[in-house]
């Protein structure tokens, strides 16, 4: 038995839309089997995981709170991945954005007015963008592999944050806890509703998605991304600079990721801590692919992955299923997404050896 | 003398998992496949080895389970990239994320439980050699296997006919196909070998290096192994030099902390990652040298024309 791949004449429109759906269905089936093997009622577990969080207004808000950073990061990653720049260091850029953005409220806590928050956002974007510029620069100057450098820098950024909150930025009145001082009111991310958890990060995420979508379909830069990503040689003949594109993709994606970082720290957290992200930077890679590298798709994908975080927490509380299953789920989902994407470009037939002969005769 | 002994032993212990994973990935990349999932295969190897050796009490069964863990992950990767021609970069990333997530789930019950230690096999007489004796001739079976693997892979790639076929598949898959070789089958075996090596590497981490299960315990070693392959410019012998260099950097941080240097511990912990970046820049800077040994078809999928 073997698989035979037949290239389609043109990419299948139907499959472009259906492949993520198919991937989600397959993930749910795998999840049901997994829960069954772990000794839980699969139906109930899936219900708690993926339906219950949607039924209660509090967790719907929480869903948006978790989806916002994922979408913001993933939107930037679509630019990178479409142009063949493999930025996998978003977790580090998120952290650096959070650190840069926190300079003002931590080092100058007495500076309090309405300018604080916009400055923090700008600093966050600059921090993330600059940090993402390093792998781009190294790639252009020394031809180093950006996958490895961007990932290595992530570890460096996480350790730098750890150093700051345990050392110079530790709250002087914090009973020696490894945490920075709490941000003042002017430095906190404004909520969308009075007393709610949902904050303006959601607006940023949607606006960023729309802007990048327009960039892709309406601008020369978008065309350049497409050409360089799909046929680098043609891009070369057209006079598009691969080097400039690398810098553009990394810096824009780093800036959006840094923005997500400072919004998160100034929002749900309210201070710097040794851990500020449950792996948003890595989960966003899954979001980008599940959204088929389309910024609008990333919005839906981001909501779904946020649901898997919430479901993980709910399953832990309600059923005693380990929260760690969420990460496993996310990995399985990405696998199915990649597998199903094959159907867009290829027809797949399962060929049994003896049947092949019969067909050839016929 | 005592200190030199201990230092050498600890460097060897830190280097072995890097060397194991790197030598496996080197074969994979020589066949033209870039598997970025080393980290995921490694951590699955680590958790499988740890759990099995703890339940059975036999570390050797643990090693077998570690191999199986790495190999199953490699099969998944092969199915997607070779069978379904999925993008190798994305699939490798997926493998890493899946491995980290899955191992965390499996290993949750084992956090904080001391494991079964792999016994050392003392080679008589030789292990009495001062300084290097303990580090080289009083090690566990995985260490000896690693050294044998480097010898074996080096011979296989450059002295055997099958090795030549594997390299030709990596250099130009169309020509290899035209000559009648089954490109994707060769790659399947290479990827599997890579999975086995990563599984072994993970086993070493959880059975020898820490002897504990800690979530995310690979801490980027899989990625460092990937960098090592570039650093070694795809030549097996050079992975030894690279691995021991990195092992030394890893160990340096502990000794520097012990010696009471006035440096933040986080900076020392960041050293291996910074060293990786510096090494990559250093080796990639000279493009001609770096490209001579790079397999030309690295990262490209092969679909036979029909």
């Amino acid at each position: 038995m073997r698989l035979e791949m037949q290239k389609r004449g043109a990419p299948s429109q139907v499959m472009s839309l259906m492949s993520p759906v198919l991937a989600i269905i397959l993930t749910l089936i795998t999840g049901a089997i997994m829960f069954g093997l772990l000794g839980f009622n699969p139906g109930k577990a899936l219900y708690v995981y993926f339906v219950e969080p949607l039924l209660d207004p509090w967790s719907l808000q929480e869903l948006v709170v978790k989806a916002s950073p994922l979408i913001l990061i993933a939107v930037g990653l679509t630019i990178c991945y479409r142009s063949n720049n493999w930025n996998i260091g978003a977790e580090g850029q998120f952290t650096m954005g959070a650190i840069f953005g926190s300079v003002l409220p931590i080092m100058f806590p007495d500076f309090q007015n309405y300018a604080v928050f916009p400055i923090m956002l700008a600093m966050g974007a600059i921090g993330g963008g600059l940090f993402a510029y390093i792998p781009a620069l190294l790639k252009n100057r020394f031809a180093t592999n950006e996958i490895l450098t961007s990932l290595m820098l992530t570890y460096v950024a996480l350790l730098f944050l750890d150093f700051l909150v345990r050392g110079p930025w530790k709250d002087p009145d914090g009973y020696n806890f490894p945490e920075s001082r709490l941000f003042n009111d002017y430095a906190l991310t404004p909520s969308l509703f009075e007393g709610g958890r949902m904050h303006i990060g959601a607006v940023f995420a949607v606006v960023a998605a729309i802007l990048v979508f327009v960039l892709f379909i309406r601008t020369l830069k978008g065309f350049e991304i497409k050409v360089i990503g799909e046929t680098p040689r043609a891009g070369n003949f057209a006079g598009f600079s691969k080097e400039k594109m690398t810098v553009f993709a990394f810096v824009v994606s780093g800036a959006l990721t840094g923005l997500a970082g400072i919004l998160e720290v100034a929002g749900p957290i309210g201070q710097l801590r040794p851990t500020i992200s449950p792996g948003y930077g890595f989960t966003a890679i899954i979001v980008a692919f599940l959204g088929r590298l389309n910024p609008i798709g990333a919005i839906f994908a981001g909501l779904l992955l946020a649901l898997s975080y919430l479901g993980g927490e709910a399953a832990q509380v309600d059923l005693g299923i380990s929260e760690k299953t969420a990460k496993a789920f996310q990995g399985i989902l990405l696998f199915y997404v990649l597998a199903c994407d094959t159907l867009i470009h290829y027809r797949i037939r399962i060929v049994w050896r003896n049947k092949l002969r019969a067909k050839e005769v016929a | 003398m005592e200190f030199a002994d201990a230092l050498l032993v600890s460097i060897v212990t830190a280097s072995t998992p890097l060397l194991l994973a790197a030598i496996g990935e080197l074969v994979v990349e020589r066949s033209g496949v870039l598997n970025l999932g080393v980290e995921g295969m490694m951590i699955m190897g680590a958790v499988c080895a740890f759990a099995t050796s703890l339940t059975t009490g036999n570390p050797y069964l643990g090693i077998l389970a570690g191999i199986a863990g790495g190999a199953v992950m490699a099969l998944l990767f092969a199915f997607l990239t070779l069978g379904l021609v999925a993008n190798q970069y994305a699939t490798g990333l997926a493998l890493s994320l899946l491995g980290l997530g899955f191992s965390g789930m499996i290993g949750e019950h084992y956090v904080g439980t001391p494991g079964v230690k792999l016994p050392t096999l003392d080679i008589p007489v030789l292990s009495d050699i001062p300084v290097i004796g303990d580090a080289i001739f009083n090690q566990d079976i995985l260490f000896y296997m690693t050294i044998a693997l480097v010898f074996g892979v080096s011979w296989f790639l450059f002295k055997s006919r099958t090795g030549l076929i594997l390299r030709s598949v990596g250099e130009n898959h169309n020509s290899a196909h035209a000559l009648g070789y089954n490109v994707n089958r060769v790659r399947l075996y290479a990827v599997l070998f890579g999975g086995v090596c990563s599984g072994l590497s993970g086993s070493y981490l959880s059975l020898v290096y820490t002897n504990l299960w800690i979530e995310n315990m690979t801490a980027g070693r899989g990625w460092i192994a990937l960098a090592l392959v570039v650093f070694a410019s795809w030549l097996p012998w050079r992975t030894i030099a690279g691995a021991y260099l990195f092992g030394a950097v890893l160990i340096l941080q502990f000794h520097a902390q012990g010696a009471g240097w006035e440096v933040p511990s986080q900076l020392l912990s960041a050293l291996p990652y910074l060293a990786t970046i510096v090494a990559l820049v250093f080796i990639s800077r000279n493009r001609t040298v770096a490209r001579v040994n790079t397999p030309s078809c690295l990262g490209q999928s092969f679909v036979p024309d029909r």
Side-chain angles (χ1 to χ4, degrees):
Chain A
M1 188 201 110
R2 66 199 168 85
L3 292 174
E4 196 175 278
M5 315 284 300
Q6 264 183 344
K7 189 132 189 146
R8 294 178 193 269
S12 159
Q13 296 288 329
V14 180
M15 275 303 165
S16 295
L17 286 172
M18 282 311 289
S19 83
V21 178
L22 197 61
I24 292 167
I25 294 172
L26 286 169
T27 307
L28 291 180
I29 295 173
T30 311
I33 297 171
M34 203 168 79
F35 287 133
L37 290 176
L38 287 170
F40 298 99
N41 178 345
K44 182 149 192 248
L46 285 183
Y47 180 81
V48 171
Y49 228 98
F50 293 106
V51 182
E52 220 172 63
L54 298 174
L55 300 178
D56 149 38
W58 182 87
S59 49
L60 272 180
Q61 283 206 39
E62 199 58 29
L63 184 75
V64 176
V65 168
K66 288 212 157 58
S68 310
L70 288 174
I71 297 168
L72 213 44
I73 302 168
V75 164
L77 291 180
T78 60
I79 303 177
C80 286
Y81 296 163
R82 280 196 186 201
S83 63
N84 247 329
N85 287 297
W86 293 90
N87 175 10
I88 62 169
E91 188 80 0
Q93 293 142 25
F94 185 89
T95 307
M96 271 309 184
I99 292 173
F100 264 62
S102 303
V103 168
L104 197 55
I106 291 178
M107 298 183 73
F108 306 96
D110 297 330
F111 181 73
Q112 296 190 12
N113 58 47
Y114 285 106
V116 171
F117 190 65
I119 295 174
M120 284 165 64
L121 289 187
M123 295 275 286
I126 291 170
L130 276 181
F131 203 58
Y133 180 61
I134 302 173
L137 182 76
L138 294 179
K139 183 183 180 181
N140 285 343
R141 283 285 295 276
F142 304 111
T144 52
N145 183 321
E146 76 273 23
I147 301 175
L148 297 172
T149 47
S150 64
L151 188 90
M152 292 297 141
L153 286 169
T154 296
Y155 288 103
V156 176
L158 293 174
L159 286 163
F160 184 52
L161 172 66
D162 195 74
F163 162 71
L164 285 176
V165 292
R166 286 176 204 279
W169 281 10
K170 192 162 65 182
D171 184 1
D173 313 316
Y175 306 104
N176 225 11
F177 277 107
E179 291 169 350
S180 79
R181 67 172 78 240
L182 288 167
F183 290 4
N184 62 60
D185 286 346
Y186 288 102
L188 291 176
T189 310
S191 295
L192 280 180
F193 309 107
E194 200 59 46
R197 293 260 299 162
M198 235 161 90
H199 57 80
I200 56 164
V203 180
F204 279 93
V206 173
V207 170
I210 294 170
L211 286 180
V212 173
F213 182 71
V214 172
L215 174 93
F216 280 148
I217 59 164
R218 280 277 176 267
T219 64
L220 179 65
K221 198 78 188 171
F223 179 66
E224 208 177 305
I225 292 169
K226 192 179 158 83
V227 173
I228 289 181
E230 288 173 12
T231 40
R233 260 171 68 87
N236 215 3
F237 289 130
F240 297 151
S241 162
K242 236 171 103 179
E243 282 75 22
K244 281 185 187 154
M245 178 53 69
T246 300
V247 170
F248 175 80
F250 266 92
V251 170
V252 171
S253 131
L256 288 174
T257 305
L259 197 61
I262 186 60
L263 281 167
E264 181 74 12
V265 167
I269 303 178
Q271 65 185 153
L272 274 186
R273 293 183 188 155
T275 309
I276 53 169
S277 149
Y280 284 141
F282 295 111
T283 308
I285 298 173
I286 305 176
V287 173
F289 278 104
L290 181 63
R292 307 225 51 259
L293 300 187
N294 180 323
I296 305 298
I299 297 180
F300 296 102
L303 286 168
L304 184 79
L305 267 298
L307 182 60
S308 78
Y309 275 118
L310 281 189
E313 287 167 16
Q316 170 113 327
V317 175
D318 289 6
L319 303 173
I321 298 176
S322 161
E323 207 178 338
K324 307 253 164 21
T325 47
K327 285 261 156 44
F329 254 128
Q330 295 172 357
I332 294 170
L333 178 62
L334 181 54
F335 253 100
Y336 280 127
V337 169
L338 295 171
C340 293
D341 273 2
T342 306
L343 295 170
I344 297 168
H345 297 284
Y346 294 93
R347 282 190 195 86
I348 298 173
R349 287 190 320 193
I350 299 172
V351 183
W352 276 271
R353 223 160 265 245
N354 40 7
K355 282 188 186 167
L356 181 72
R357 282 279 154 75
K359 250 180 219 155
E360 274 169 6
V361 173
Chain B
M1 228 28 168
E2 276 296 301
F3 177 70
D5 270 30
L7 188 67
L8 219 58
V9 171
S10 58
I11 288 177
V12 168
T13 316
S15 312
T16 304
L18 296 176
L19 186 52
L20 261 172
I23 201 77
E25 178 66 15
L26 188 140
V27 172
V28 179
E29 292 192 13
R30 276 283 184 178
S31 81
V33 178
L34 182 66
N35 186 353
L36 294 177
V38 179
E39 183 90 359
M41 300 189 292
M42 208 189 230
I43 193 110
M44 281 303 278
V47 75
C48 290
F50 189 83
T52 308
S53 63
L54 199 66
T55 28
T56 61
N58 185 336
Y60 294 101
L61 283 179
I63 294 178
L64 285 181
I67 292 176
V72 168
M73 294 291 279
L75 267 182
L76 260 177
F77 176 85
F79 175 68
L80 255 78
T81 55
L82 306 177
L84 298 177
V85 282
N87 180 310
Q88 292 181 9
Y89 288 75
T91 311
L93 279 176
L95 201 67
S96 282
L97 293 174
L98 180 71
L100 291 171
F102 224 68
S103 62
M105 203 176 93
I106 300 173
E108 206 183 16
H109 307 292
Y110 300 106
V111 174
T113 319
V116 182
K117 190 152 180 79
L118 193 61
T120 52
L121 306 171
D122 188 342
I123 297 179
V125 186
L126 288 177
S127 64
D128 295 333
I129 301 173
V131 187
I132 62 160
D134 252 359
I136 301 179
F137 299 108
N138 188 14
Q139 287 281 0
D140 48 80
I141 186 166
L142 281 176
F143 170 78
Y144 299 124
M145 271 172 73
T146 308
I147 300 303
L149 265 177
V150 178
F151 272 90
V153 164
S154 186
W155 174 85
F156 168 78
L157 281 178
F158 298 103
K159 292 279 187 284
S160 81
R161 191 180 155 78
T162 330
L164 183 65
I165 296 172
L166 185 138
R167 283 189 291 134
S168 71
V169 163
E171 287 301 336
N172 189 333
H173 50 213
N174 291 323
S175 303
H177 176 68
L179 284 171
Y181 296 117
N182 189 333
V183 171
N184 281 335
R185 183 173 303 162
V186 171
R187 289 185 171 169
L188 169 67
Y189 292 142
V191 168
L192 259 181
F193 177 76
V196 167
C197 287
S198 294
L200 280 172
S201 162
S203 315
Y204 191 88
L205 279 178
S206 64
L207 295 181
V208 181
Y209 191 75
T210 57
N211 220 22
L212 281 172
W213 167 255
I214 307 157
E215 206 189 344
N216 296 346
M217 67 187 289
T218 42
R221 283 189 180 78
W223 298 98
I224 293 181
L226 276 160
L228 266 177
V229 178
V230 180
F231 183 75
S233 23
W234 291 269
L235 296 172
W237 288 113
R238 293 199 193 161
T239 53
I240 296 192
Y244 284 96
L245 207 66
F246 276 95
V249 176
L250 277 168
I251 287 307
L252 179 75
Q253 48 164 315
F254 295 118
H255 284 281
Q257 274 163 23
W261 284 10
E262 291 293 320
V263 186
S265 67
Q266 291 91 345
L267 177 64
L268 293 170
S269 305
L271 270 183
Y273 308 115
L274 290 169
T276 307
I277 296 173
V278 172
L280 280 173
V281 166
F282 186 73
I283 210 81
S284 314
R285 193 183 40 148
N286 194 334
R287 298 188 187 204
T288 42
V289 172
R291 285 209 183 136
V292 167
N293 292 311
T294 314
S296 310
C297 287
L298 188 60
Q300 296 172 18
S301 301
F302 177 74
V303 186
D305 276 332
R306 285 182 214 289

